[in-house]
Every structure is written in C-alpha cells, then in structure tokens.
Amino acid sequence: MFYRFVLVLVVFLSFFLFFSPVSGDPEQGSFVYSRDQLLALRPAAVLPADRPDIPSELRRKRRGCRAGKERRRPRRRRYRPSLPSVIIGNVRSLPNKMDELTSLTWSQREYRQCSIMMLTESWLTPLTPDTSVTLPGFQMLRADRTRESGKRKGGGLAVFVNDRWCNPGHITVKEQLCSRDIELLAVSMRPYYLPREFSHVIAITAYVPPSANADAACDSLHSVVSRLQTQSPRALLIISGDFNHASLDSTLPTFTQYVTCPTRDNKTLDLLYANAEEAYSSSPLPPLGRSDHNLVHLVPVYEPLVRREPPATRTVQRWSEESEEALKDCFESTVWEVICDDHGEDIDSLTTCITDYINFCVDNTVPTRTVRCFSNNKPWITSEIKAVLKQKRRAFKSRDKEELKRVQRELRGLIRNGKDSYRQKMENQLQQNNVGEVWRGLRTISGHKHQNSLPGKDVRWANELNHFFNRFDSAMRQSPTSAADSPTPTAAVPPLTPQTLHTSSIHPAHSSPPPTTASNTHSTQGSSLSLSTTQVRRELRRIKAKKAAGPDGISSRVVRSCADQLCGVMEHLFNLSLRLGRVPQLWKTSCVVPVPKTSCPKDLNSYRPVALTSHLMKTLERLVLAQLRRLVSSSLDPLQFAYQPGIGADDAIIHLLHRSLAHLETAGSTVRIMFFDFSSAFNTILPSVLKDKLENSGVDHHLTTWILDYLTDRPQYVRTQGCVSDRVVCSTGAPQGTVLAPFLFTIYTADFSHNSTQCFLQKFSDDSAIVGLITDGDDKEYRGLTQDFVDWCQLNYLQINASKTKELVVDFRRHKHPPLQPLNIQGMDIEAVDSYRYLGVHLNNKLDWTHNSDALYRKGQSRLYLLRRLRSFGVEGPLLKTFYDSVVASAIFYGVVCWGGSISAGDRKRLNRLIRRASSVLGCPLDPVEVVSDRRMAAKLSSLLDNISHPMHETVTALSSSFSGRLRHPRCGTERFRRSFLPTAVRLYNKDFCS
C-alpha cells in the first residue's frame, strides 16, 4: 500500500507541475512546495478514537485472499466450535497446580482453546482467595466443600470458562449442592456462538465420594437435572465429574457417556454425559502435578442440524375454504356418466381417465407455491420478523440508540405473537386428537428431527434396493410351481409331502392362475359382493387428510373433502372392479419408501419396504376387508390374536404368561419358548397357495379371483432422496403398507395350528411363538411341533430367518441339570437368549420385568422432554394433560396389565419418580403405577368375561361361582404366579364386587 501511494503521488505531482506551477522562477522552470502542502494531498487517516466500537462477532468478515482464507478461517473458528470443548479431571488440590495450569494455557493449544474446564477435588477452603486460583483469560466459578458433607478436608469443585468463548457477564450459577453423597455445581452459560437447536449451555460438575451411597447420589443428581430441564428444555446439558462407583446409565438413560479412555490406572472414573448424540470424542491428557487421575480432553464432533440436512425446495398446495368450494362445484357440474360410458368395461383406461380428470381439476382450482425449507427454521419466524431483524442490524450500524430500542420492542412483540399463534395451532391439534401433527410440531420447535440416513442418492442404488425388495418374487419364478416337487432353493431339507406332517392340514401350492381373457371374464360377471353409494361415501370420509398421496397423485384431502361428489363415480368403479375380478394397474402400482430399521443402516437388509398406494385403492380394500372378515372368521386360528375385535397384544402376552406360570407351579417343570422371525412375511404370500386356502375358508370364487388379481403383477418402484428407480413387476405377495396384506397373511397361516396341554402355537400376525410346557425334561412334543412348523413354512414358501429366531428358556429348578440341547433350524442352532422383546414387551428368563422396566423408563424420560417443550410454549391446563395421556403415559404404561401386579418395588419406585416429574411439569397430581395397573386389570378382566371368542374366556368363566357370582381365586403355589395378571385381576374384581 505504501509503494502504491508513493507511485500515485509522483504521478500526480508530475501532472500538477507540468500544468499549474505554484511558485518559483518561471524562467528557470523550478517549483517549490511546502511540507504542509504535500501532507495535505494525503488522505485523512481514521484515528483509533474515532473508530466505531463494533463487537468482533458483528464486524464485517473479509473474504478471499485479502482475508487470508487458508490462515484466518481456522483461527477465527477456533473459539466458535459447534459445541464447547471440555477438559475434565480430578486435580487433587488446585492451588499448588495453578502455575502448571497457567503455563499450559500459554503454551499448549488444547488448554488455550478449551471452552470449559470442569475440575473436581479442588481442595479449596473459604480461606483460599479467588486471586490465588485465577487463570488469565478464564472466568473461575467454585463450590467449596461445606460442613453438610460431614468432612472438613478435600472435595470442592471448580469450573473455568474461556472469555473468548463466552462473555463473563453471561455466566450464572444455577444450582449448588453439598451433602454426604454428592457435591454438585451447575453453571449456565450463553456463549457467543451455539447451534440454533440449543438455547444455551448448562455445565454440571459433580463429585461422588467413594464412601457415598450411589443410589442417593444419583437421585439427587436426577432431581437437579429434571428441574433444570423443566426450566430450560432446549439447553445443552453437560454432566461431568468423578463418579467413582456410581453410574448414570439407568438414572439418565437419554444422556450419552463420551469418556472412553481410562482416567485412573485402567479404570474410567471421570465421566462426561451430554443430552446430544454423537457430540464428543475423548482423548487422555497428562495429569496435573502429582494427581493420580488423568485429564480428559473432549473434542466436539457434533455437526449442526443445518449442515446435516440441506435445504429442500418443494411445491405445496394452498388449501382454503374457497378452493374447496370451487373444487366441489367443479365435480358437481361434471357428467360422470359420459366418461364411464365412453370407456365401457375397460377398467384400466377408465381409471386413468378419472384420475387425470381429478388431478386436472385440482391443478386448476387449488393454488400452489414453492417453498424452501431449512432444517433449523422455526415455524413462527415469518418474513415480517426477518425484515425487522434487518432493520435492527441497520439501526445498530447507524448507532441510533432510540431507533434501536424501538426496533427491539417491535421485534419482541412480533416473536411473542408468532409463538402465541403457533401455540394456538398446537392447542387446536390437541383438541382434535391429531397427535401426529403435534409430534411433528414438537420436533420442529425442539430441532430434534429424524436424520435421513438413506445413503443412496443415485438411480443405481435405488434400482439395487428395488430388486432386493423383489428378491422373493425372483426366487418363486425359479422354483417349481408345485409343492410336491422340491422346496425352495434355499431350504436344506429333503422334499416334503403333506402326509409327513401330523399337526395340520397343508394344501400344496399349484401353478399360477391363468391371465384373465375374454372367455373367462364372463364367468365373473355375477360377483356376490356389491357396494352401495352410502358405504363408499362413509369410507371416503374416514380417510385422514394428512396422508401422503400415492402414485396416482390424488391427495387424501381431495378424496375426503369431495366425498359427496366423488362417491357416485367411485361406487361405479369399485363395483366394476369386483364384477370383472380385476384391479386397475394404476391402483396396484406401489411407490416403495425404504424406512431404516436401525439408526445406522449398513446394508440393503437394514431397510423396511413401506409402500404408498392409491387412497382410492385403500378405500376399496377396506370395503373388501369387512366382507372378507365375515366370511373367514370361523376358519381362523383360535390362537391368532391379531386383527380380532377386542383382542390385542396385551391379550397375547397375558395368555403366554398365564399358561407358562401355571405350568411352572409343578415340580420339575420348564418352559421353552421359540420366537420365530420371518423374512418379509407379507411379501412371500404365494397367490396360488392362497387360492386354495381362501376357497376352503368359504370365500366365493368371484372374490377369490379379485384377490388373486390384487396380489399378482404389481408394479413397484423405489423413491429415495430425489431419485426414482425403474419399475419392476412383482407376482408374489402384498407389500407392507396396504390394508389387505396383514389379514391375508393370517388366512395364509390359519391352516397350521396346535394347542395341547404340553405345547401350543400362538400368533400375532407374523409374530409366531411356540411354547413348550416341559415336565422332567421331556421335550419330544416341543421338538416335533417346531420341526413340523418349519416344514410347513417351507411348503408354503415362508422363509424363516434362523439367525433372528431366538429361544427363551425359563427354568426355576434349584438342582443342577444338564444343559438343554439347542434346536436346529435349517442347519443352524437356535440361540438361547436371556431376554427377548415380544410385541413391545421385554420378557426375560426370570420373568421379573427388570429389562422391561428399564426400556419403559428410557422411553418415558425421552418423551417427558417433549412435554417440557410444550409447556415452554405456554400450553397449560387440560390440553397439556391430554398430551401427557396420549404421548407420555402411553409409553410408561405400555402393557401395564401384563406386568403391573408383579413388578418389583424398585422398578415401581423408578417409574413413579418419572410420573412425579411429569406431575411437576403439569402442575397437577397424577396416578401412580399401582393405581393405573389396578384400574386397567379390572377392565381387562371384564372384557374377557364379555368376549366369548377370547382364548382365555373359558379359563376365566370356569372360576365363576354359581352361588355368589364372584370369581374363585386360582390356586397359586408361588408368589410369582400369585402376583400375575389373573390372580391379581380376580382379587380386584371380587373387591369391587363386594363394594
């Protein structure tokens, strides 16, 4: 810059001397300038006192080469990490180590750039001044040991906060606790930079002495954390300290522990928990002085939400009452008879024509707009608020204090009004019992969205996934068409025949039905199933308006709003489909959306195919399902608990436990339970095999023909992130997400059933379990039934996943017995596990519900966060209680009729403690676990008495007394059986009967 200035000055002087001389002798051509004249040509410099005082975080950032991009950017972000970098450790006397700590902050980058240092056992006393433990560039907060701890020496906590990461004026002590069991210090900090999903940071430093009661220390820490989470649900909580023999894994299950290196010899005593996933990576540091604890450096690896999810651009329809009325008028003025008569019985062209016409009317009537959605946007931040934010920035730069105050007041009012309007919207959704929209709204306001973990973004990966979902159809095409030949290619067993099985009647598979032609179409003209306009209108009105559209593009809101106008043409289309025994190709097309089974899917098998089909097709399926259920109700398996009125997953677990516990009352008894797992069970339904089973169940030929056409030649394609795969035609099975597929699977498996005093097979859709009630080690029937079931699955082309099939053995015998021989399925020994999750309830080999209580506690505590976020928006009173009942209580009390009477006192205390936390958020008392379980068990027993089709109806009615009307208490030899469902429910029933 100096050389450039000198060059410009020389050129300017030469030009000036040549044209306008100022002084000197003209004859000699000399010019003389004074020093003041030359200095006046230099631009005026801005003095330091005249420069505006702008904070560094608001200064204009230079870009490119002028800013030194490669050198300045890492330096600038050094004190603006996504999450605070933390150093934790037990220092054992801080004053004599301050010189070493000060030199470390001067010389080593880990200490100099550290945001927070959380140290335990500082050994500070009231006689130690703050100046002796001051660290340059850091703000120090301390919590010395007091007399309440019962000790005079040792202990103490210290927290150092980097001034370049957080302003010292934005640091507040929230909690301070000192007792015999725990020392605690909670500090709230609002740094210069933090991702939008977190409001501020709360750092909790704790020290649990070796002589402390671990349960009492965890309870005290849990109380403090729950109170802080209630006050600040969006805060980032960091809990660190020396926990010795205590652990927060069960007390705070939603927090993640990040210290993975040893901190004292080969033990990990100093831990750090945070309420954010994938937040830190740990590495050891040398100890301070002669301390026997290593320091631990926690480096943030958290990626903000705005970087994980790029902005998405989509086109949305702007529905209003005017647009709905205009659309209704358009459909009312349509002469549907002309369209139907023009196509006759060509159902494919008629369906395509009607679909295109409906979409054409929607496009011309309902306006659309294109929106750009950011992952960290809040719905109450409108364009008006963004404009006021720009005004605030301009007012700040202009240094107009009055204008800045006015804009700030206006901004606060707009944000408050935006939050109030969003709160009213959520209250309306709660009043309408629209829990799905409330969930989506809570994820939006809290910033906790499900990460889209689909790795493929190209068409090649989508095609691979589509062919993987279609692998069963390819296997069926290569396999023989008759079950009398060989089984599936993957089976490693000899050929089977129906005569080899003795527990069920098996219908061998036949060849695929011939395609529908003009000759056999006339045989289906007299279908017995005919639908009325009233039935169609009622089903169209039941469609949920927020469901995603299928491949035909007709949204659910159009079908629901215009049900009166569309019921006539839909009734004609539905009856035509049933009369012809054909399903339109457009309605059979499925858009498969891969849903990850785990948080981190690794292969194609880690995705579950969920199909999006036409809403009109789903309406027809519901109408057919009502007729089909009536026809096959008498031929279904009595121990099939799925899709039965008044029967659910609780009944299946109650039946399994009651028969198992009753058998375990006898001496020398053992229970073996085999939980089978199928590979995509619905996709393996073979239409040729299902045809015989439908006809044997009493389904007429016309409806059977329609169902077979519904299952065959189904085009499907996979849609992932912005790419669509090629279409593949499937001839086997019904995809997940359809209405008829689950019930058709129950019909498909209804012909294999077994129920004896020593062994029985019970089902809940595709979740099948064989229970062997074994006495004195005689498991012959159990092994035979298991082998027969495996053979039957091979004959019916159901593929058992032997690696996921598990066995649970319940054995309470005191004397040692030789280990049970494992069962072998498809050449693989089945693994015996200690715990298994069956229908959402965790069962273990002790039947003590410890694993189930841990799972319920974790789920309830995670949902309690949403309750706190909802209250922070001002939702109070009955609406907040409604949200608790529908979201939080449904998770805590899931399956309570199964475990409510036999849960241990410790587990009941943990769940009641969680309920008390929810009660403090709601501001009203809530029923504890024992009250809820008693009430629901009594209601369940009453339903068993009223439902004659329930598998346990005869067991309960056998206890009825013919004299008093009460129920006789079943004989219970052990406390375990006495506290199970049936004895407890009978006791409650008799108590209510007497009162």
Side-chain angles (χ1 to χ4, degrees):
M1 294 294 294
F2 176 79
Y3 295 107
R4 187 180 302 175
F5 172 76
V6 172
L7 181 60
V8 172
L9 182 62
V10 171
V11 173
F12 180 78
L13 289 178
S14 303
F15 182 83
F16 190 81
L17 291 174
F18 185 81
F19 288 100
S20 56
V22 178
S23 62
D25 190 359
E27 296 179 355
Q28 298 180 358
S30 61
F31 298 90
V32 180
Y33 292 90
S34 64
R35 182 176 181 275
D36 296 336
Q37 289 176 331
L38 293 176
L39 292 177
L41 299 175
R42 187 179 61 180
V46 179
L47 299 179
D50 298 335
R51 295 179 180 176
D53 187 14
I54 301 176
S56 58
E57 61 268 18
L58 296 179
R59 291 176 185 173
R60 180 181 177 183
K61 306 296 189 303
R62 295 184 179 273
R63 299 180 179 180
C65 298
R66 297 182 62 186
K69 182 177 181 181
E70 300 298 330
R71 299 188 304 272
R72 291 178 178 268
R73 179 168 296 179
R75 190 182 308 167
R76 185 174 67 246
R77 292 181 178 176
R78 185 176 302 167
Y79 303 104
R80 294 181 57 185
S82 57
L83 295 184
S85 58
V86 186
I87 291 180
I88 65 173
N90 187 322
V91 294
R92 297 180 62 85
S93 180
L94 184 61
N96 56 6
K97 299 180 177 64
M98 287 305 301
D99 293 338
E100 181 181 357
L101 188 60
T102 302
S103 61
L104 288 173
T105 56
W106 287 348
S107 59
Q108 297 190 12
R109 184 178 57 184
E110 291 83 358
Y111 294 86
R112 183 171 60 254
Q113 299 177 4
C114 177
S115 304
I116 309 173
M117 295 185 190
M118 308 171 71
L119 308 177
T120 58
E121 285 207 79
S122 60
W123 292 9
L124 300 179
T125 64
L127 300 178
T128 307
D130 292 343
T131 55
S132 62
V133 289
T134 300
L135 193 63
F138 288 81
Q139 180 74 15
M140 196 270 292
L141 299 101
R142 52 189 281 187
D144 302 342
R145 174 173 285 182
T146 60
R147 294 183 178 180
E148 287 77 5
S149 63
K151 296 182 180 180
R152 296 182 179 181
K153 298 181 180 179
L157 308 171
V159 176
F160 292 92
V161 183
N162 199 326
D163 295 342
R164 286 168 288 191
W165 177 74
C166 180
N167 192 315
H170 297 165
I171 302 174
T172 308
V173 176
K174 302 291 290 186
E175 294 282 347
Q176 189 169 345
L177 177 64
C178 185
S179 63
R180 293 179 178 271
D181 300 316
I182 189 173
E183 300 178 30
L184 184 143
L185 174 64
V187 181
S188 173
M189 295 161 284
R190 192 179 299 273
Y192 294 117
Y193 170 77
L194 199 65
R196 189 176 293 182
E197 50 263 34
F198 303 109
S199 59
H200 58 287
V201 179
I202 298 179
I204 301 177
T205 308
Y207 173 65
V208 180
S211 59
N213 186 346
D215 294 337
C218 292
D219 290 344
S220 301
L221 184 58
H222 182 270
S223 301
V224 174
V225 172
S226 298
R227 186 161 52 252
L228 294 176
Q229 284 185 318
T230 302
Q231 297 173 359
S232 307
R234 288 184 55 212
L236 170 66
L237 265 73
I238 301 174
I239 306 174
S240 76
D242 185 1
F243 290 92
N244 284 306
H245 56 288
S247 176
L248 302 180
D249 293 337
S250 59
T251 306
L252 297 174
T254 56
F255 283 64
T256 306
Q257 204 282 120
Y258 289 102
V259 178
T260 58
C261 55
T263 59
R264 182 180 180 182
D265 296 333
N266 57 350
K267 300 179 181 179
T268 304
L269 304 180
D270 301 286
L271 307 176
L272 184 136
Y273 296 85
N275 60 344
E277 297 180 355
E278 299 179 1
Y280 288 99
S281 65
S282 62
S283 59
L285 293 176
L288 285 180
R290 300 178 62 183
S291 175
D292 56 352
H293 286 253
N294 297 331
L295 298 181
V296 182
H297 186 206
L298 282 305
V299 181
V301 294
Y302 179 81
E303 188 175 4
L305 187 63
V306 69
R307 297 181 186 175
R308 283 181 288 169
E309 298 183 6
T313 303
R314 56 193 179 98
T315 302
V316 296
Q317 296 176 339
R318 304 182 64 178
W319 286 91
S320 62
E321 295 181 359
E322 293 79 7
S323 59
E324 287 187 5
E325 292 298 331
L327 192 60
K328 291 179 182 179
D329 295 340
C330 179
F331 290 148
E332 286 179 354
S333 60
T334 302
V335 183
W336 297 104
E337 291 79 5
V338 176
I339 301 177
C340 296
D341 296 340
D342 205 18
H343 294 273
E345 293 189 350
D346 189 357
I347 190 170
D348 287 323
S349 62
L350 178 59
T351 304
T352 305
C353 180
I354 293 176
T355 301
D356 293 341
Y357 179 76
I358 293 175
N359 291 330
F360 172 77
C361 295
V362 172
D363 294 340
N364 292 337
T365 305
V366 182
T368 60
R369 65 171 181 174
T370 302
V371 296
R372 193 181 185 192
C373 303
F374 291 87
S375 57
N376 60 349
N377 264 4
K378 303 302 179 184
W380 58 88
I381 303 298
T382 60
S383 57
E384 185 179 2
I385 295 178
K386 293 179 180 179
V388 177
L389 285 172
K390 294 180 180 179
Q391 294 181 11
K392 179 181 177 181
R393 189 179 184 89
R394 288 194 295 267
F396 178 79
K397 288 185 176 181
S398 63
R399 308 188 69 176
D400 189 350
K401 295 183 179 180
E402 297 297 330
E403 179 66 14
L404 183 61
K405 291 181 180 180
R406 185 194 66 79
V407 174
Q408 285 179 341
R409 287 194 299 268
E410 183 181 0
L411 181 62
R412 285 195 298 267
L414 289 175
I415 294 178
R416 183 168 56 252
N417 295 335
K419 288 187 175 182
D420 289 341
S421 61
Y422 194 76
R423 175 182 56 82
Q424 294 175 2
K425 178 181 177 181
M426 297 190 68
E427 289 178 354
N428 295 333
Q429 293 171 349
L430 279 174
Q431 289 178 346
Q432 300 171 2
N433 292 329
N434 193 353
V435 182
E437 289 296 327
V438 175
W439 269 99
R440 281 186 284 271
L442 284 173
R443 285 200 300 264
T444 301
I445 65 178
S446 62
H448 287 260
K449 295 183 179 180
H450 294 295
Q451 183 178 359
N452 194 348
S453 55
L454 296 180
K457 296 184 180 180
D458 54 352
V459 180
R460 182 186 60 81
W461 185 83
N463 288 330
E464 292 179 0
L465 197 60
N466 194 17
H467 287 288
F468 176 77
F469 292 152
N470 194 32
R471 66 190 185 277
F472 301 103
D473 184 69
S474 303
M476 297 305 173
R477 292 177 187 272
Q478 298 174 3
S479 62
T481 58
S482 175
D485 298 331
S486 61
T488 55
T490 57
V493 294
L496 302 172
T497 61
Q499 289 76 17
T500 59
L501 306 180
H502 57 81
T503 55
S504 64
S505 62
I506 296 181
H507 305 280
H510 297 285
S511 58
S512 301
T516 303
T517 59
S519 60
N520 59 16
T521 300
H522 298 286
S523 64
T524 63
Q525 296 296 321
S527 176
S528 61
L529 179 58
S530 179
L531 305 175
S532 64
T533 307
T534 304
Q535 292 176 314
V536 176
R537 182 188 296 108
R538 182 175 63 250
E539 290 299 330
L540 291 179
R541 289 177 177 176
R542 291 179 179 178
I543 296 177
K544 296 182 179 180
K546 297 294 184 180
K547 291 293 184 178
D552 58 354
I554 299 179
S555 66
S556 57
R557 184 160 186 171
V558 174
V559 179
R560 180 185 176 93
S561 303
C562 305
D564 297 334
Q565 291 75 26
L566 297 176
C567 61
V569 66
M570 290 299 112
E571 180 263 340
H572 171 74
L573 202 56
F574 291 168
N575 285 327
L576 180 62
S577 174
L578 294 173
R579 186 172 71 253
L580 298 177
R582 292 180 53 199
V583 179
Q585 198 75 1
L586 180 61
W587 288 359
K588 291 197 295 185
T589 305
S590 303
C591 174
V592 180
V593 178
V595 178
K597 298 179 182 179
T598 60
S599 58
C600 299
K602 299 179 181 179
D603 52 6
L604 298 179
N605 198 25
S606 301
Y607 295 93
R608 178 179 292 107
V610 177
L612 293 178
T613 56
S614 172
H615 290 288
L616 300 178
M617 183 61 206
K618 290 182 178 179
T619 304
L620 179 56
E621 289 181 62
R622 293 187 184 96
L623 294 170
V624 173
L625 179 61
Q627 176 72 6
L628 186 62
R629 189 190 302 274
R630 182 180 61 83
L631 294 175
V632 303
S633 58
S634 59
S635 60
L636 293 178
D637 187 356
L639 294 184
Q640 173 62 263
F641 291 86
Y643 315 113
Q644 303 295 329
I647 302 177
D650 294 342
D651 301 270
I653 300 172
I654 289 172
H655 178 264
L656 186 148
L657 291 176
H658 173 72
R659 297 191 61 175
S660 300
L661 291 172
H663 174 72
L664 290 172
E665 292 285 287
T666 60
S669 59
T670 308
V671 175
R672 300 181 69 173
I673 309 174
M674 181 71 65
F675 298 101
F676 289 92
D677 183 85
F678 294 100
S679 298
S680 298
F682 297 162
N683 294 340
T684 56
I685 298 176
L686 200 62
S688 57
V689 178
L690 181 63
K691 176 184 177 181
D692 295 338
K693 299 184 179 185
L694 288 173
E695 293 177 351
N696 294 335
S697 300
V699 182
D700 60 87
H701 176 71
H702 307 290
L703 185 56
T704 301
T705 304
W706 186 90
I707 293 175
L708 294 181
D709 187 78
Y710 163 78
L711 292 175
T712 56
D713 298 333
R714 298 184 61 93
Q716 74 175 30
Y717 61 92
V718 173
R719 184 183 67 190
T720 59
Q721 297 178 354
C723 62
V724 179
S725 69
D726 300 332
R727 298 200 177 194
V728 177
V729 179
C730 304
S731 299
T732 301
Q736 299 184 35
T738 56
V739 177
L740 277 177
F743 192 75
L744 290 178
F745 185 80
T746 61
I747 301 175
Y748 195 78
T749 58
D751 59 344
F752 189 98
S753 62
H754 185 90
N755 188 8
S756 66
T757 57
Q758 297 181 358
C759 210
F760 63 92
L761 167 66
Q762 72 173 41
K763 311 167 188 173
F764 192 91
S765 188
D766 60 335
D767 291 315
S768 302
I770 293 180
V771 183
L773 309 177
I774 301 169
T775 303
D776 297 331
D778 185 10
D779 58 352
K780 182 178 180 181
E781 183 178 353
Y782 171 73
R783 290 179 175 272
L785 176 60
T786 303
Q787 186 61 42
D788 288 347
F789 184 71
V790 173
D791 296 341
W792 175 85
C793 291
Q794 294 171 2
L795 283 172
N796 289 267
Y797 297 94
L798 294 177
Q799 296 190 9
I800 297 178
N801 191 344
S803 61
K804 293 185 178 180
T805 300
K806 305 298 180 182
E807 185 182 24
L808 184 68
V809 180
V810 183
D811 189 0
F812 296 144
R813 294 178 294 180
R814 296 182 180 179
H815 300 288
K816 294 183 179 180
H817 294 81
L820 300 174
Q821 294 296 327
L823 275 76
N824 188 281
I825 296 179
Q826 298 178 356
M828 180 181 298
D829 290 340
I830 301 303
E831 179 186 2
V833 295
D834 297 335
S835 176
Y836 186 83
R837 185 173 181 265
Y838 178 62
L839 302 180
V841 176
H842 293 262
L843 304 175
N844 60 6
N845 55 1
K846 301 298 181 182
L847 300 181
D848 55 2
W849 303 109
T850 54
H851 295 80
N852 186 68
S853 300
D854 292 339
L856 294 178
Y857 186 82
R858 291 172 181 270
K859 186 178 294 185
Q861 193 172 40
S862 63
R863 295 194 178 185
L864 192 60
Y865 166 80
L866 298 176
L867 188 68
R868 295 187 179 106
R869 289 293 301 131
L870 195 61
R871 198 195 73 162
S872 66
F873 256 67
V875 178
E876 297 179 353
L879 293 179
L880 203 62
K881 179 64 166 54
T882 302
F883 181 82
Y884 166 79
D885 293 334
S886 58
V887 177
V888 183
S890 62
I892 299 176
F893 300 119
Y894 180 78
V896 67
V897 295
C898 306
W899 50 263
S902 54
I903 191 175
S904 64
D907 292 337
R908 184 183 295 109
K909 179 181 177 182
R910 290 181 61 201
L911 294 178
N912 284 333
R913 181 174 57 193
L914 194 63
I915 295 173
R916 288 195 299 271
R917 300 304 174 200
S919 177
S920 64
V921 177
L922 295 176
C924 63
L926 298 174
D927 294 335
V929 173
E930 52 270 17
V931 175
V932 176
S933 63
D934 292 348
R935 182 172 62 247
R936 295 190 182 182
M937 275 195 260
K940 175 59 71 174
L941 185 63
S942 301
S943 66
L944 290 180
L945 291 171
D946 298 336
N947 191 354
I948 60 175
S949 62
H950 198 284
M952 291 188 63
H953 176 75
E954 296 182 0
T955 304
V956 178
T957 53
L959 300 175
S960 300
S961 175
S962 58
F963 298 98
S964 62
R966 300 171 59 185
L967 296 178
R968 297 189 303 270
H969 196 278
R971 295 182 179 180
C972 304
T974 61
E975 182 68 19
R976 185 179 295 103
F977 186 38
R978 188 180 299 111
R979 295 171 57 188
S980 63
F981 165 75
L982 189 58
T984 306
V986 169
R987 185 171 59 254
L988 295 173
Y989 180 85
N990 293 333
K991 181 179 179 181
D992 295 340
F993 182 84
C994 295
S995 61

